[in-house]
Amino acid sequence: MRVWISAVFVLFVFVQLYQWIKGFILPLPIYVLAGSFLAIASNYEKGLGTLLKSASLQNQALSSGISLTENTPKTDSQ
C-alpha cells in the first residue's frame, strides 16, 4: 500500500510541477542575458582577447577617420 501512495504522490508532484513550468514566463532581460551568454559561449574558441582587440582597433579607426582597408591612389607615371 505504501508503494501506491508514494507513486500517486510522486505523480501528483510531477503533474503540478509540469503545469507550473508550462505557465512560467521569463522577463525579457533574462532572455537578453541568456542570448549574450550563448553568443559568448559559441565564440569562446576564438578568444575574448582577439574580439576585444579587433573592436578597439575599429573604434580607434572610426574616431580618427582612418579606414582599415588599404586604398592606395593610382598614379600615372607615364
Side-chain angles (χ1 to χ4, degrees):
M1 188 69 178
R2 283 189 199 169
V3 174
W4 283 103
I5 292 173
S6 61
V8 168
F9 179 73
V10 168
L11 184 61
F12 175 76
V13 169
F14 280 138
V15 168
Q16 292 298 319
L17 184 66
Y18 173 74
Q19 288 180 353
W20 179 75
I21 290 173
K22 188 175 158 184
F24 188 70
I25 298 173
L26 291 174
L28 182 63
I30 300 295
Y31 285 116
V32 172
L33 288 174
S36 301
F37 175 74
L38 287 175
I40 291 169
S42 66
N43 293 317
Y44 183 74
E45 67 274 355
K46 292 181 182 177
L48 190 58
T50 57
L51 293 174
L52 293 176
K53 188 185 297 183
S54 66
S56 67
L57 286 176
Q58 288 177 353
N59 287 339
Q60 288 175 356
L62 289 175
S63 65
S64 64
I66 298 172
S67 175
L68 293 178
T69 59
E70 290 188 29
N71 292 328
T72 57
K74 293 181 180 180
T75 58
D76 291 332
S77 60
Q78 296 177 352

